[in-house]
Amino acid sequence: KQEVTQIPAALSVPEGENLVLNCSFTDSAIYNLQWFRQDPGKGLTSLLLIQSSQREQTSGRLNASLDKSSGRSTLYIAASQPGDSATYLCAVVTGANSKLTFGKGITLSVRP
Amino acid sequence: EAGVVQSPRYKIIEKKQPVAFWCNPISGHNTLYWYRQNLGQGPELLIRYENEEAVDDSQLPKDRFSAERLKGVDSTLKIQPAELGDSAVYLCASSSWTLSGTSGYNEQFFGPGTRLTVL
């Protein structure tokens, strides 16, 4: 059974800092990995999707990397801003059923 | 282009009452998902539809939960009767297959969710 872990559960950083959010998964036979952002009381916004054949994806100040063999992904946020404060969830698809298995998320707070 | 639409956004009911949630996916997306998210947890899949067909409902508590997607577009998730432990956010997502090179992927897009409180 696939398990996704995100540690720590919460992170607080000063504005402008570059930061890395970690995600690990137990079954390396994934189809793809998605990073989502969730604001309080809101749904999930897809940030980046990395296919199993890819090593990284970039969108603006965000860069996500994937190391399938070690079961790890990182989300790099450059020059963090208070508006980046949210919960960031990592999820993987294992198997052809396209079911996403989520971690519990990392709640990020960027202090002005 | 409109995203995934869900209604209602909030629902408060007493235990043993019925409740229904509605979802309209992104136009052209033939795969629709219902997830449940408990406080402090990631979402967990309840049911997945490919067009009108429920292809994965193994996590759906079938004694009280039911779902339908009659015309392969919008979908309804129902709970009857609701229990205290059903309090959660119910999220709908949709996707379509995107070909990329020799393979492809399903990128899932989520609606805003329905926050259910059972008293």
Side-chain angles (χ1 to χ4, degrees), chain B residues 32-116:
Chain B
L32 184 146
Y33 315 76
W34 283 102
Y35 288 84
R36 177 169 60 188
Q37 185 177 25
N38 293 310
L39 191 64
Q41 305 291 317
E44 294 182 336
L45 181 70
L46 292 174
I47 189 168
R48 176 172 70 99
Y49 281 92
E50 293 289 346
N51 300 305
E52 304 89 359
E53 183 180 0
V55 295
D56 183 357
D57 62 356
S58 57
Q59 301 301 312
L60 190 72
K62 297 181 183 64
D63 57 336
R64 298 182 299 105
F65 286 65
S66 64
E68 60 183 15
R69 194 185 184 198
L70 293 177
K71 297 184 179 179
V73 180
D74 55 350
S75 174
T76 302
L77 177 69
K78 298 178 181 177
I79 308 174
Q80 182 171 13
E83 297 179 352
L84 295 177
D86 296 331
S87 295
V89 176
Y90 291 82
L91 295 161
C92 179
S94 69
S95 69
S96 66
W97 183 255
T98 301
L99 191 62
S100 177
T102 58
S103 62
Y105 59 88
N106 268 311
E107 184 173 6
Q108 297 186 31
F109 296 90
F110 283 74
T114 297
R115 182 175 296 276
L116 173 66

Side-chain angles (χ1 to χ4, degrees), chain A residues 19-41:
Chain A
L19 58 103
V20 172
L21 306 181
N22 294 305
C23 170
S24 62
F25 46 93
T26 54
D27 184 352
S28 62
I30 65 170
Y31 277 58
N32 59 56
L33 182 146
Q34 269 185 272
W35 280 94
F36 293 89
R37 168 182 172 143
Q38 187 171 32
D39 293 283

